[in-house]
Amino acid sequence: MPISAPHRTRRLATVLTLLLGACALTVTTSSGAPQESAAGETAAQADSQAAAQAGTQQTAAQLPSDDFYVPPATLPDGAPGDIIRSRRVDPGTPTPRELADTWQVMYLSQDAQGKPIALTATVLVPKAGSPADHPIIGWGPGTQGPAFRCTPSRMIAKGALYEQWVINDMLREGYAVTVPDYEGYHPQPDTTYMVGKSLGPALIDSVRAAQRLTDAGLSADAPVVFRGYSQGGGAAMWAGEFQPDYASELNLKGIVAGGVPANLMELALPLNGRAGSGFLFYALIGLDNAYPELELDASLNDAGRAMVADLEANGCALEMIGKYGHKSLADHTTRVPLLDPEWMARYTENSLGESTNITVPVLQYHATKDALVEPNQADALHKAYCEQGVPLTWKTYDTDDRDPVVDHLWPIQAANAEAMTYIADRLADRPATTTC
């Protein structure tokens, strides 16, 4: 049954409130161990308005540095998904604590150039039922920001992840959920935002790590679905493209991906100088971190260098929306590097849709108007996938009358009921329809 419009509105209000409060929460002891937040419940609870109010009543102290996130100087031998270290944690809001046992894990994966790296993730396993019977949802989190304090697992630990209510819904259905932090989240962050060649393995290997976490008790044969929105929607699609060759052992049943950033050039141009320009600058940082030969610093002026330094030290989603919205590349660079052959090669190879090995059913959805992730490039992706034989269902949600940024966030709520039904159908092996 579709979620009512008032309920959707309350959830959206809570998402926006959590975005506003996410950078000002503290929930750790001096040792860095996560403790309970005062934030109250998230939007998945009946009283989502109370949660929104609670989310604004946090202290301004930051989480201390946490050595758990520092990779070993020499990576251990092993395969992608093998666990390096793990620890039990208590999420910062009551519902996930009640619904699931939760771990943070560090695991082996690979970077955008295929080199071994260590990544971190959160694994949540429902307390109800037998762990061996739980399907696994690989949830790609949306954009959190480049600073270490924005790390998705730290956001979960302090009760500030704006998508936590979506995770809670999946836990209630008996699904285990893995949430990767993506590459580069450690005390000296060098995140690789929007680099699909890194996002795909990160999501896949978080599922593998969950299956290899002995204490979690999940099955190596568990049915798997990749799901995400915005950056997370891109991660879900990239995981789907990687999976047949990279992780053929996974029992993948389907993909649910919303707000997918598919073509990096078509995303970049509409962001420049507009509400989402902070995301453009973050994407340039991400590509430069993944591919050091791009030498972004050589194209920056003093204002650009100051912005990059501040984003990497302090920037969460709020700063990209507020502090660095409506900024232009021309004011922060000595030359715009986007048309350089080196840059073009890298963002082209990190754009979806050229060809795919995806054979499982896909639900892809998008806003009709989207200030952050341009709708036409997502529509082009769905058409390309259809031409390549992907069994895909395409859905749009009307946001033409919504303000910038809100138009991007709205489908997280609007599509959730349909996404949950789609997942249930795939896990039950019901035939998938297609709009191709």
Side-chain angles (χ1 to χ4, degrees):
M1 177 181 296
I3 301 173
S4 67
H7 195 184
R8 288 176 179 171
T9 302
R10 289 196 299 271
R11 283 186 165 181
L12 181 59
T14 303
V15 168
L16 290 169
T17 300
L18 288 175
L19 278 172
L20 292 171
C23 300
L25 303 178
T26 178
V27 292
T28 62
T29 65
S30 59
S31 65
Q35 302 295 315
E36 182 171 347
S37 166
E41 191 46 271
T42 62
Q45 291 300 95
D47 193 357
S48 59
Q49 290 178 319
Q53 182 180 7
T56 66
Q57 298 173 348
Q58 305 304 315
T59 62
Q62 296 182 13
L63 290 170
S65 180
D66 191 334
D67 291 342
F68 180 86
Y69 292 87
V70 179
T74 301
L75 292 180
D77 293 334
D82 283 355
I83 292 176
I84 298 172
R85 62 176 70 114
S86 65
R87 64 182 180 186
R88 287 287 298 265
V89 296
D90 287 325
T93 47
T95 295
R97 292 200 301 270
E98 295 167 358
L99 292 174
D101 295 314
T102 304
W103 293 263
Q104 291 173 347
V105 296
M106 177 178 282
Y107 59 97
L108 292 173
S109 188
Q110 69 175 38
D111 66 11
Q113 301 186 65
K115 299 175 182 177
I117 55 173
L119 303 181
T120 51
T122 302
V123 177
L124 302 101
V125 179
K127 293 180 179 179
S130 170
D133 296 332
H134 294 318
I136 303 173
I137 311 298
W139 170 259
T143 304
Q144 302 298 314
F148 177 51
R149 66 194 179 116
C150 316
T151 306
S153 60
R154 303 186 93 207
M155 288 295 196
I156 292 171
K158 62 187 178 180
L161 189 78
Y162 59 85
E163 300 161 319
Q164 184 66 56
W165 67 272
V166 184
I167 295 171
N168 294 347
D169 278 356
M170 293 186 286
L171 294 172
R172 288 190 185 94
E173 291 299 315
Y175 308 150
V177 182
T178 70
V179 187
D181 290 334
Y182 304 134
E183 180 182 354
Y185 277 112
H186 40 69
Q188 301 298 320
D190 52 1
T191 58
T192 57
Y193 182 59
M194 296 310 302
V195 179
K197 299 291 187 181
S198 176
L199 293 175
L203 184 53
I204 289 173
D205 291 330
S206 74
V207 173
R208 285 168 154 168
Q211 293 173 317
R212 297 172 194 175
L213 181 63
T214 303
D215 290 347
L218 300 172
S219 171
D221 299 321
V224 173
V225 172
F226 298 137
R227 183 185 179 188
Y229 187 81
S230 194
Q231 181 187 13
M237 287 297 206
W238 277 106
E241 293 216 352
F242 266 87
Q243 183 269 332
D245 295 328
Y246 184 74
S248 60
E249 83 281 2
L250 289 186
N251 183 17
L252 184 63
K253 295 292 188 178
I255 300 167
V256 176
V260 176
N263 185 300
L264 299 192
M265 176 54 81
E266 292 182 21
L267 289 167
L269 296 178
L271 292 175
N272 189 29
R274 298 182 182 176
S277 59
F279 296 86
L280 169 58
F281 284 99
Y282 186 17
L284 295 178
I285 294 170
L287 283 163
D288 186 61
N289 283 335
Y291 307 108
E293 77 274 9
L294 297 179
E295 297 183 344
L296 175 62
D297 185 74
S299 297
L300 299 174
N301 59 23
D302 289 344
R305 292 188 183 95
M307 177 187 288
V308 167
D310 186 54
L311 274 171
E312 292 200 298
N314 304 302
C316 291
L318 172 61
E319 281 76 23
M320 287 185 291
I321 293 171
K323 187 175 183 179
Y324 292 115
H326 302 285
K327 305 292 185 183
S328 71
L329 283 171
D331 292 335
H332 295 83
T333 60
T334 56
R335 51 184 298 280
V336 177
L338 293 178
L339 296 181
D340 287 356
E342 296 83 1
W343 282 86
M344 292 180 67
R346 291 307 191 184
Y347 60 66
T348 297
E349 71 181 77
N350 284 282
S351 292
L352 291 160
E354 290 299 315
S355 62
T356 186
N357 294 322
I358 295 176
T359 58
V360 298
V362 174
L363 171 61
Q364 183 189 350
Y365 59 96
H366 212 95
T368 54
K369 185 190 75 173
D370 190 329
L372 301 185
V373 181
E374 207 281 326
N376 289 329
Q377 55 86 43
D379 186 30
L381 175 66
H382 115 254
K383 291 174 180 174
Y385 277 158
C386 284
E387 291 176 359
Q388 295 162 25
V390 176
L392 184 143
T393 298
W394 168 250
K395 181 75 179 288
T396 59
Y397 290 87
D398 184 8
T399 54
D400 291 353
D401 62 346
R402 299 188 181 277
D403 292 334
V405 180
V406 175
D407 56 11
H408 175 68
L409 293 172
W410 177 251
I412 302 175
Q413 290 72 239
N416 186 56
E418 185 168 356
M420 293 294 288
T421 298
Y422 193 88
I423 291 170
D425 287 344
R426 303 293 73 77
L427 295 174
D429 291 323
R430 298 186 184 101
T433 59
T434 175
T435 58
C436 291

